[in-house]
Amino acid sequence: MNVYAPIQIALPAVALTLALGVYLVAVADRVMAGVIAGSGPELRAAMLTPLRGAALAFLQWRRATERPDAGGWALAPALLGGLAAFALALVPLGPGLVVADADTGFVAFSAAIAFVMIAVYLHGWSPNSALPLHGAYRYGAQALSFQIPFLLAMLATALPAESLSIVRIVEAQATLWNVVREPVGLPLYLVVGLGVSFWGPLNMPDATDLAGGTSAEDSGVARLLWGAARASMLVAVAAMGAAGFLGGWFGPFLPGPVWMILKTLALLGLILAAGHLLARIRIELFVLVSWAILIPLALLNVFVSGAFLL
Amino acid sequence: MIPTPLVDAAFFVFAAGAIVTGYRVFRTDSMVRAAFYLLASFSAVGGILVLLGSEFLGMVLLLMMAGEMLIMAIVMVMYMMNPAGLNPMTMVHQNRVAAVAGLAAFLALAAVGLLGDFPDRPAPQPALATEELGIELLGDSMLVFQTAGVTLLSTMIGAVAIAGRRGRSGSAEDGSIEPALQPDEEDAA
Amino acid sequence: MSTEAVLIAAAALFGIGVYGALSQQSFVMLMMGLELMINGAILALVVLWARAAGGNPQGQMLAIVFMTVMAVEMALGFALITGVYRVRRADITEKLRRLKG
């Protein structure tokens, strides 16, 4: 059963959600930074600063490099943002409230996550400059390592649903949420959430030690768009996490979509807090942990959830 | 259901995209760009597979190729000359023979496609294709599926044995000098 | 989207792949040619599954086997590139005149 919303509803819905989400991420990130630093929330400043920064980006001059791949450079932020929109379109907000209920929702989401690697690599390679290229290769090592644990963690959620459709995966959690059924799944998934938007402890490709990494040569609107695309990826990943592990729209008293939004916000807050509280992880260590610990752990998770279904 | 003219239009865009980007792979002067073009070609084919009702295969193709292209890019940096690939280069041999062979292959296969008499038995319900495939994978074709799995496992072991740090070709530490620009340079040395 | 049109597109991809595999000197580019050939084969296979096999799921099954072949080709190809590079410092086919140990 494939259900797709008509395009004139789907496009504005996804675009609006992402725009709101990006702004929310920018505000929440500043508020959290203030709280953690001890200077208080400073709500007013946090709400205005992202808008002011965005307006200033339009006035900034465009920096050029020697012989860049102009097409690829312009395409990279659009690709990353497009992938976020694609992933978000697969997430159901409530029963029947979904842009695209594909039979292969899980595989489609995984494909989007895999293409994030391409977007980041393109973004680092196309300016033809040393520091962005370093960032791109860092991300290559990082992303190839977390892909497999991510696929296995998501696969375990498809087992109780006996389907690859995201809607069915949520429906299978009517009595028991996946976060209880397979407690290892959500932490594994959140590692990926940090990874695909290279946030906080996993921000190696755009790190400050590379003067901004893949976005070191970006300026003006291009830089703004890249930041927005990263934030929208974060929103999409949090929404999918809420659907895949926290029972989606199920919850007492409140209507389904409200629960879904609350859960997404909770996951978003968790990821953003991790970005401020955790130290950056060295790539060698991350690769080692991914291959030697996370993959066996994720496999065990699949086996245990399979055993419960027998 | 999506109306047929729309499907037709989408098919022609995807097909033209797949062929043009596939051709650009061997016409561009940078290896990284070639890898991106190849990925674009595969993505367009993935789109056609989805249009044909094989959603799962299309998506798996996209998932697989994205990872593969990144590995290709890393291999290029490890071993190939001009790794970042924004400087022009052509590395072609027996160009004419290859072009004739490619054209001949295309004509022969296209002739088979045009002249061959294929039975007209379309798949009934594309929406069920994923479920059917899953039942087939773990039902009648279990042996084929498992064989593919074992093949992949032995490939992993073989690849690690060949490329591993202490593989049969000597120590990995020897491999960090970039290749000579001329094929016979090292023979002369 | 007639069956013939898809088959011709598949043939074109295969033909380009043949050209690439025969004409490129660099190992990686050569492998890209092989990939394009398999790409065309998968496309032809799936269109025949969708249009001429009456929805027999074994057609899709065969496409999965093709993808396995592609993965095996990539993995062993890259492993061999690594091995050859260690012994010969070679990155193009011309350097492999002698295929002895």
Side-chain angles (χ1 to χ4, degrees):
Chain A
M1 54 152 204
N2 291 29
V3 183
Y4 297 99
I7 196 152
Q8 59 270 29
I9 301 174
L11 270 182
V14 170
L16 195 70
T17 317
L18 279 184
L20 277 176
V22 168
Y23 179 64
L24 192 74
V25 166
V27 173
D29 204 38
R30 287 195 70 89
V31 169
M32 251 172 219
V35 170
I36 287 165
S39 59
E42 289 171 6
L43 208 57
R44 207 179 112 82
M47 281 173 76
L48 286 179
T49 317
L51 296 178
R52 198 177 297 137
L56 273 175
F58 282 91
L59 300 174
Q60 208 171 41
W61 57 296
R62 282 300 294 270
R63 206 155 66 181
T65 54
E66 194 191 338
R67 289 174 59 99
D69 187 298
W73 206 358
L75 179 66
L79 182 59
L80 190 62
L83 289 171
F86 178 81
L88 197 67
L90 297 163
V91 181
L93 187 60
L97 270 179
V98 57
V99 172
D101 174 21
D103 281 335
T104 51
F106 158 71
V107 191
F109 181 70
S110 311
I113 298 296
F115 262 78
V116 171
M117 300 193 286
I118 300 299
V120 177
Y121 185 79
L122 188 64
H123 189 238
W125 167 80
S126 51
N128 195 19
S129 168
L131 292 179
L133 194 66
H134 272 282
Y137 281 112
R138 280 184 177 184
Y139 193 66
Q142 215 176 29
L144 287 173
S145 311
F146 69 59
Q147 284 290 324
I148 299 171
F150 156 72
L151 278 173
L152 290 172
M154 281 291 285
L155 191 67
T157 66
L159 279 181
E162 299 180 4
S163 170
L164 298 175
S165 150
I166 306 293
V167 172
R168 298 274 286 278
I169 287 177
V170 177
E171 278 167 359
Q173 303 175 64
T175 47
L176 190 61
W177 293 0
N178 277 337
V179 69
V180 185
R181 203 183 271 149
E182 22 193 81
V184 192
L186 187 61
L188 278 176
Y189 179 83
L190 286 181
V191 171
V192 182
L194 287 169
V196 287
S197 40
F198 30 104
W199 211 268
L202 295 187
N203 184 7
M204 294 304 274
D206 273 17
T208 40
D209 63 331
L210 290 181
T214 68
S215 49
E217 298 285 356
D218 282 354
S219 54
V221 182
R223 193 177 193 113
L224 178 72
L225 286 179
W226 183 248
R230 276 176 70 186
S232 32
M233 208 62 224
L234 205 57
V235 175
V237 166
M240 185 56 87
F245 294 95
L246 294 182
W249 61 76
F250 291 111
F253 311 121
L254 297 170
V258 177
W259 270 114
M260 185 62 199
I261 291 169
L262 284 178
K263 286 169 186 172
T264 305
L265 290 180
L267 278 186
L268 208 54
L270 202 62
I271 296 178
L272 287 178
H276 285 289
L277 294 173
L278 302 180
R280 242 192 314 176
I281 302 172
R282 250 189 21 247
I283 289 204
E284 305 93 290
L285 187 66
F286 181 75
V287 170
L288 186 72
V289 168
S290 288
W291 288 91
I293 299 175
L294 295 190
I295 293 181
L297 208 62
L299 272 176
L300 196 70
N301 186 32
V302 173
F303 288 142
V304 170
S305 8
F308 274 118
L309 291 172
L310 288 179
Chain B
M1 218 41 226
I2 308 163
T4 324
L6 213 59
V7 172
D8 276 346
F11 164 70
F12 281 111
V13 169
F14 281 140
I19 293 167
V20 169
T21 49
Y23 180 70
R24 294 281 295 157
V25 169
F26 304 112
R27 277 283 159 272
T28 181
D29 52 11
S30 136
M31 279 195 192
V32 175
R33 226 174 261 155
F36 283 132
Y37 277 128
L38 187 63
L39 181 63
S41 180
F42 270 98
S43 308
V45 169
I48 300 177
L49 297 194
V50 173
L51 287 181
L52 284 170
S54 187
E55 231 178 81
F56 181 78
L57 289 180
M59 290 299 171
V60 166
L61 194 66
L62 291 182
L63 173 63
M64 219 174 104
M65 293 321 291
E68 207 173 301
M69 285 307 123
L70 197 69
I71 295 172
M72 242 182 199
I74 287 175
V75 166
M76 280 176 213
V77 166
M78 282 162 75
Y79 306 125
M80 302 292 142
M81 51 174 97
N82 184 13
L86 274 170
N87 297 323
M89 53 133 216
T90 358
M91 292 169 85
V92 179
H93 57 186
Q94 50 182 15
N95 196 17
R96 190 163 302 164
V97 179
V100 170
L103 199 64
F106 165 65
L107 289 178
L109 289 173
V112 170
L114 279 179
L115 303 177
D117 188 20
F118 301 106
D120 185 27
R121 279 183 291 156
Q125 257 294 337
L128 291 175
T130 311
E131 195 179 338
E132 270 178 9
L133 176 62
I135 289 168
E136 180 72 23
L137 274 179
L138 298 178
D140 289 345
S141 295
M142 176 72 112
L143 190 62
V144 182
F145 187 49
Q146 287 303 321
T147 310
V150 172
T151 310
L152 284 177
L153 178 66
S154 46
T155 304
M156 280 197 270
I157 295 170
V160 170
I162 295 172
R165 186 169 283 268
R166 281 188 293 165
R168 57 184 292 276
S169 313
S171 165
E173 276 72 23
D174 296 342
S176 54
I177 304 168
E178 68 182 58
L181 288 172
Q182 293 301 318
D184 295 327
E185 217 165 79
E186 90 221 20
D187 293 345
Chain C
M1 183 169 49
S2 65
T3 309
E4 283 79 14
V6 185
L7 283 174
I8 287 175
L13 286 174
F14 192 89
I16 295 169
V18 169
Y19 164 73
L22 289 179
S23 72
Q24 297 295 316
Q25 289 182 308
S26 163
F27 292 134
V28 177
M29 296 295 286
L30 192 155
M31 277 166 69
M32 289 189 189
L34 296 179
E35 299 269 298
L36 267 179
M37 286 158 73
I38 301 179
N39 197 10
I42 290 178
L43 184 56
L45 190 67
V46 172
V47 72
L48 289 180
W49 162 78
R51 294 295 163 75
N56 184 346
Q58 285 184 346
Q60 290 201 72
M61 183 64 225
L62 193 55
I64 287 188
V65 173
F66 274 38
M67 286 184 187
T68 316
V69 170
M70 200 148 82
V72 169
E73 177 247 333
M74 286 300 276
L76 284 182
F78 285 138
L80 286 173
I81 290 176
T82 308
V84 161
Y85 184 85
R86 289 226 181 104
V87 177
R88 296 284 176 80
R89 301 264 181 288
D91 67 339
I92 58 174
T93 48
E94 261 72 2
K95 289 195 178 179
L96 296 182
R97 294 231 180 85
R98 296 165 300 155
L99 277 173
K100 211 165 62 177

